[in-house]
Amino acid sequence: MSQFDDILRKVHAYRPDDDLALLQNAYSFCIERHKGQERLSGEPYISHPLHVANILADLRLDPVCLAAGMLHDVVEDTPTSIEALQAEFGDEVARIVEGVTKIGRIHFQSPEEQQAENFRKMLLAMVDDVRVVLVKLADRLHNMRTLEYLPPEKRQRIAHETLEIYAPIAHRLGMGKLRGELEDLSFQHLEPDAYAEVKRAVERRRKVNEEFLAEVQRLVQAKMKQHAIPARVEGRIKRLYSIWQKLKRQHIAIEQVYDLLAIRIITDDVKNCYAALGVIHNTWRPVPGRIKDFIAIPRPNLYQSLHTSVIGPHGQPFEVQIRTAEMHRVAEEGIAAHWKYKDGSGATIQDAERFAWLRHLVEWQKEMRDPGDFLSTLKVDLYPQEVYTFTPKGKVIVLPREASPIDFAYAIHTEIGNHCVGAKVNGRIVPLKSRLRNGDIVEITTQANQTPSRDWLAHVKTSRARNKIKHWINIAQRRQAVEIGKRLLEKEARKYGVVLKKIADEDYQRVAREYGCSLADDLYAGVGFGKFVARQVLAKLVPTLAHEAGQPSRLTRTVKRVLGMTPDVAIQVHGYGDLLVYRARCCNPIRGEEIVGYITRGKGISVHSKNCKNVQNLLYDAERRIAVEWTGPKYTFYPVRLNLLTTDRQGMLAEVTAAISSDHSNIQNIEARTGDEQASIEVTVDILDKEHLDKIMASLRKIEGVYHVERMVKA
Ligand code: MN
């Protein structure tokens, strides 16, 4: 029987009602496209896609998946476009082949465990249809079965990739059988000596072990019959790679592997699983601590079974696995067992089974101590939260969804981030603020004179990039403050005929220490930020000036107080909790308003409302701008002047004062002028925050005869 007939026969057996024309067409197309091509084994190329489809048929997958399996190499290895496949075989087949082609182009190289994990997630994140992974796994399985025809280095690379990436993916998808075979094949090529040794050890006992298993199988079968438990009993010797892992991990000899030999009891329902366990424990003594109930608590990959180890005839320990037929199918086929499509239209997210399966996952996830990332992997697949991108050298960079090339640049290195000017994604130039997608290969271009810009903050998704950009901005501001501070000191020094250069370094150090600074630069920065007053610093540097310049005169102190120049504890500068901050008198901002700060010359930071005319008219140097925010005690009152235009009637003033005090504010001052049957009332009230102010203004507007209320600010 030809390979293709074999496939048709299998599909017909499990899907008797399906029209297999799609498979026929795919087969002819495949033969035509791969004509003349050979595999390294010397076989015609077509044997590979047919084997792949056959593996998929063993998993009882739908004809669309099998057709995609047959066609999986035509885009990569023959001059066939995705569009051509789409025209010929429809969207689904084309999409699956496209996905397989895409992940086939990615090669895993890094030996790091974390990179392997990222790589696995990325592969799963890149596919929007699990059948892409199933075809890829079938493809890989056949390639592994024929690996010996490849040159040694290529063999090593593929075996390594299989062991690190594909076998774990098969495991996560619950495909125990496929995983086992992938592992053993990889083991054989990666560690030929160890493989040979384990194999010899198993072979040496194979006859004895097989006879033992046959004997136990007979005994178990008889016991089950005696207790009226319907059962199929199978025996198996543990897989070579699993044995080797155990020997390595536990430093034991092969005789001490409790589950080297196992029998499997497959029964009809859960009740009988537990009944069978009871029978087994009545027959042979269980090994303490080896009973595992994966029926009550399934493994993350949905595996369900009861496990126990018992001491069998002749003192030989063996493992017993008990499960229902359905659990068995899931254990062997995993996600493929759940992934049944009734017809083309069933291949949607509405697929009831898929939902039931996902729901179970979510429920189980809650109970699992070590969810092993399985669910999050699937979440990445179905509801992407992360993007998996590459450096040109193939390192995987995991970023949050919607991350930009700026995030990517900072993920690689702070310096790359600080100097990035542009990005190429998959070879094409893109803006720095564009969004990255799964599988993008990103190349960052840098320029030494480029520096981070504040608006990058709007385009980054990682806290790393955000922090680095903010850090840079802070440093840049400090550098600026140092310059400003130096200039202010020089200006002050000129006034007193002092030459700063003549002052000794020790004096700078001493004064810096007096101000609690460790470096002279910190001192300059303090002056630049307005934390320290230039004249006072100068007086400390040149003690002879102290008398004239050191202390502010009584008059200045009074003026300062009158002008309200007391630091405002309710506002802070981002990252500089101890700077002197003043509310600008022009706009007199109150809590809750959007505010901006400006470094003033020698007087600290003045804080303006964002809407302040002076800010809007760019009266202030943009370079001196600094971020400020409201902090500190919430119950600071600010005087705010309001102007009201009202009709001139009796009792108006009384109503205005009543309205204000019922909104819990004090009136500091109130004046009224009348004329032309109109009155103008100017009132200064204590205001807590913007909300408070809005409330008072609204109350005032409600008073009959009040037709205009406005907050007064200086021009
Ligand atoms: Mn292939």
Side-chain angles (χ1 to χ4, degrees):
M1 192 189 295
S2 84
Q3 268 197 82
F4 184 64
D5 291 338
D6 195 24
I7 295 169
L8 285 184
R9 185 185 51 79
K10 283 180 186 170
V11 180
H12 186 71
Y14 65 83
R15 298 174 78 105
D17 302 331
D18 277 16
D19 178 8
L20 302 180
L22 178 70
L23 290 180
Q24 285 286 0
N25 290 345
Y27 179 54
S28 321
F29 191 91
C30 201
I31 287 190
E32 192 250 309
R33 293 293 150 138
H34 288 297
K35 196 154 85 193
Q37 294 180 340
E38 271 184 9
R39 296 208 98 210
L40 288 174
S41 62
E43 280 184 290
Y45 196 90
I46 182 76
S47 71
H48 169 63
L50 285 176
H51 271 116
V52 170
N54 215 327
I55 292 167
L56 295 167
D58 287 336
L59 290 168
R60 288 188 278 178
L61 289 159
D62 65 321
V64 165
C65 188
L66 267 62
M70 265 189 270
L71 298 164
H72 79 272
D73 273 333
V74 295
V75 172
E76 190 65 25
D77 295 340
T78 77
T80 304
S81 66
I82 293 290
E83 290 71 29
L85 283 188
Q86 200 171 5
E88 194 76 27
F89 301 102
D91 284 346
E92 276 189 286
V93 170
R95 253 204 349 257
I96 297 173
V97 172
E98 188 180 19
V100 175
T101 307
K102 214 162 72 181
I103 56 182
R105 286 180 185 154
I106 295 166
H107 296 298
F108 173 72
Q109 291 148 349
S110 166
E112 291 166 54
E113 180 50 35
Q114 188 52 45
Q115 277 290 302
E117 173 58 15
N118 287 339
F119 210 89
R120 293 191 283 262
K121 281 187 174 181
M122 185 196 61
L123 284 191
L124 293 175
M126 276 172 68
V127 304
D128 49 12
D129 186 326
V130 170
R131 287 176 295 179
V132 172
V133 185
L134 300 178
V135 171
K136 185 65 204 171
L137 288 172
D139 175 40
R140 181 51 61 109
L141 179 59
H142 184 245
N143 285 336
M144 286 302 294
R145 284 177 182 167
T146 53
L147 200 61
E148 71 260 36
Y149 301 106
L150 266 61
E153 325 80 70
K154 215 168 167 191
R155 218 186 295 167
Q156 288 287 312
R157 182 183 70 71
I158 293 177
H160 177 66
E161 188 179 78
T162 301
L163 196 60
E164 295 292 323
I165 308 298
Y166 290 102
I169 285 178
H171 177 49
R172 280 189 190 171
L173 299 181
M175 309 170 77
K177 211 170 154 194
L178 204 141
R179 170 213 181 186
E181 195 177 344
L182 287 178
E183 282 179 347
D184 276 3
L185 288 165
S186 307
F187 178 36
Q188 183 183 350
H189 289 282
L190 288 173
E191 306 266 0
D193 296 343
Y195 178 83
E197 192 185 319
V198 176
K199 193 172 174 174
R200 251 196 322 275
V202 170
E203 288 305 323
R204 207 164 39 234
R205 285 176 199 77
R206 184 173 292 281
K207 196 154 177 289
V208 179
N209 283 338
E210 278 174 353
E211 278 167 11
F212 175 82
L213 281 173
E215 183 194 345
V216 171
Q217 255 171 277
R218 266 195 313 277
L219 282 168
V220 171
Q221 196 79 69
K223 285 273 175 196
M224 292 300 136
K225 197 166 176 198
Q226 192 188 326
H227 290 87
I229 299 169
R232 189 171 91 229
V233 183
E234 299 173 346
R236 71 113 180 91
I237 300 176
K238 198 175 176 67
R239 281 194 168 271
L240 301 183
Y241 181 70
S242 304
I243 297 174
W244 187 58
Q245 289 286 90
K246 206 154 223 180
L247 298 183
K248 259 202 331 190
R249 216 174 30 236
Q250 303 181 357
H251 304 286
I252 52 174
I254 197 160
E255 293 76 16
Q256 292 163 284
V257 177
Y258 275 129
D259 57 353
L260 177 71
L261 303 178
I263 62 147
R264 199 172 279 150
I265 303 170
I266 296 157
T267 180
D268 56 347
D269 59 20
V270 172
K271 181 173 63 64
N272 278 331
C273 290
Y274 291 100
L277 183 70
V279 172
I280 294 293
H281 284 173
N282 261 325
T283 311
W284 293 292
R285 189 163 52 81
V287 178
R290 298 274 314 171
I291 303 162
K292 289 168 201 151
D293 186 347
F294 297 121
I295 290 180
I297 302 168
R299 280 186 176 157
N301 64 9
L302 308 190
Y303 177 85
Q304 282 189 292
S305 210
L306 296 173
H307 287 194
T308 183
S309 289
V310 295
I311 306 296
H314 330 297
Q316 164 78 54
F318 64 98
E319 187 179 74
V320 183
Q321 301 172 353
I322 307 166
R323 50 178 89 145
T324 65
E326 180 55 23
M327 290 171 192
H328 183 57
R329 205 160 103 70
V330 172
E332 300 271 292
E333 298 172 11
I335 199 165
H338 296 268
W339 213 263
K340 291 183 290 188
Y341 291 101
K342 314 293 176 288
D343 50 62
S345 62
T348 61
I349 195 148
Q350 281 81 26
D351 190 278
E353 269 185 329
R354 184 177 180 186
F355 260 149
W357 177 70
L358 277 172
R359 208 169 42 240
H360 280 141
L361 265 179
V362 174
E363 283 162 16
W364 292 337
Q365 165 87 3
K366 286 185 210 144
E367 298 163 17
M368 279 182 300
R369 209 159 32 86
D370 177 18
D373 269 343
F374 179 65
L375 185 64
S376 63
T377 303
L378 272 153
K379 260 205 246 150
V380 167
D381 184 5
L382 297 163
Y383 314 97
Q385 290 177 332
E386 292 167 321
V387 286
Y388 296 84
T389 57
F390 288 106
T391 66
K393 282 187 182 153
K395 189 177 179 212
V396 181
I397 305 288
V398 189
L399 297 168
R401 192 159 54 128
E402 308 236 289
S404 65
I406 304 172
D407 290 297
F408 185 94
Y410 277 105
I412 295 187
H413 197 278
T414 305
E415 284 303 298
I416 306 274
N418 281 343
H419 301 297
C420 66
V421 283
K424 270 191 195 168
V425 169
N426 306 324
R428 218 176 292 136
I429 292 172
V430 301
L432 278 178
K433 60 183 180 197
S434 57
R435 302 277 164 241
L436 297 177
R437 287 174 316 173
N438 276 316
D440 278 350
I441 299 171
V442 186
E443 200 177 332
I444 300 290
T445 38
T446 58
Q447 243 165 45
N449 59 358
Q450 173 70 22
T451 57
S453 119
R454 197 176 273 279
D455 37 278
W456 285 5
L457 290 172
H459 304 295
V460 296
K461 282 279 177 271
T462 53
S463 50
R464 180 182 162 86
R466 186 176 307 280
N467 292 338
K468 297 284 180 187
I469 295 167
K470 281 187 175 165
H471 180 70
W472 200 93
I473 290 170
N474 283 342
I475 287 181
Q477 274 176 348
R478 191 189 119 90
R479 211 178 295 137
Q480 223 183 355
V482 169
E483 280 311 305
I484 293 170
K486 274 186 186 165
R487 263 182 277 140
L488 287 174
L489 264 181
E490 270 163 23
K491 202 170 133 199
E492 206 62 32
R494 267 199 302 278
K495 268 195 219 161
Y496 295 95
V498 174
V499 180
L500 284 181
K501 279 187 185 140
K502 286 191 181 161
I503 298 171
D505 280 352
E506 298 92 77
D507 285 323
Y508 280 112
Q509 290 296 334
R510 172 180 54 78
V511 176
R513 270 196 305 278
E514 265 182 61
Y515 278 96
C517 304
S518 51
L519 300 168
D521 269 3
D522 296 336
L523 185 66
Y524 296 134
V527 174
F529 278 131
K531 215 163 124 184
F532 318 133
V533 179
R535 195 175 340 137
Q536 290 172 7
V537 173
L538 185 70
K540 288 191 197 287
L541 283 169
V542 188
T544 49
L545 291 178
H547 191 65
E548 332 174 26
Q551 298 303 314
S553 68
R554 205 192 172 118
L555 181 66
T556 10
R557 284 206 300 273
T558 314
V559 169
K560 273 194 174 179
R561 201 180 58 240
V562 170
L563 292 179
M565 297 267 294
T566 36
D568 199 307
V569 288
I571 308 172
Q572 269 201 355
V573 181
H574 277 301
Y576 300 92
D578 52 349
L579 286 193
L580 296 182
V581 180
Y582 303 94
R583 284 160 57 244
R585 298 185 62 246
C586 50
C587 52
N588 193 19
I590 55 172
R591 183 184 287 278
E593 284 188 294
E594 283 198 85
I595 46 175
V596 291
Y598 286 93
I599 302 164
T600 66
R601 294 193 188 272
K603 280 186 268 162
I605 311 289
S606 75
V607 172
H608 295 256
S609 152
K610 222 176 193 166
N611 302 322
C612 172
K613 288 255 167 13
N614 293 340
V615 171
Q616 303 269 310
N617 297 340
L618 305 171
L619 278 187
Y620 296 94
D621 183 1
E623 301 228 296
R624 291 169 163 270
R625 195 163 160 156
I626 192 164
V628 287
E629 62 187 0
W630 295 99
T631 57
K634 281 228 167 82
Y635 301 103
T636 312
F637 286 93
Y638 303 105
V640 170
R641 284 200 304 157
L642 297 175
N643 188 30
L644 286 72
L645 285 180
T646 69
T647 51
D648 183 18
R649 67 166 168 85
Q650 228 184 356
M652 179 59 85
L653 215 51
E655 277 185 48
V656 167
T657 42
I660 291 170
S661 65
S662 74
D663 280 333
H664 310 289
S665 176
N666 287 321
I667 295 174
Q668 288 197 356
N669 183 47
I670 190 161
E671 276 173 39
R673 269 191 306 268
T674 57
D676 283 349
E677 295 170 2
Q678 202 176 294
S680 159
I681 303 172
E682 215 177 284
V683 56
T684 306
V685 292
D686 284 338
I687 294 296
L688 198 56
D689 56 18
K690 179 141 191 320
E691 204 183 322
H692 191 203
L693 176 66
D694 290 345
K695 198 169 160 218
I696 287 179
M697 286 172 76
S699 305
L700 292 174
R701 283 187 185 117
K702 273 194 212 131
I703 299 171
E704 207 196 314
V706 172
Y707 44 84
H708 188 73
V709 181
E710 129 185 280
R711 177 175 174 194
M712 293 175 73
V713 286
K714 295 210 171 98

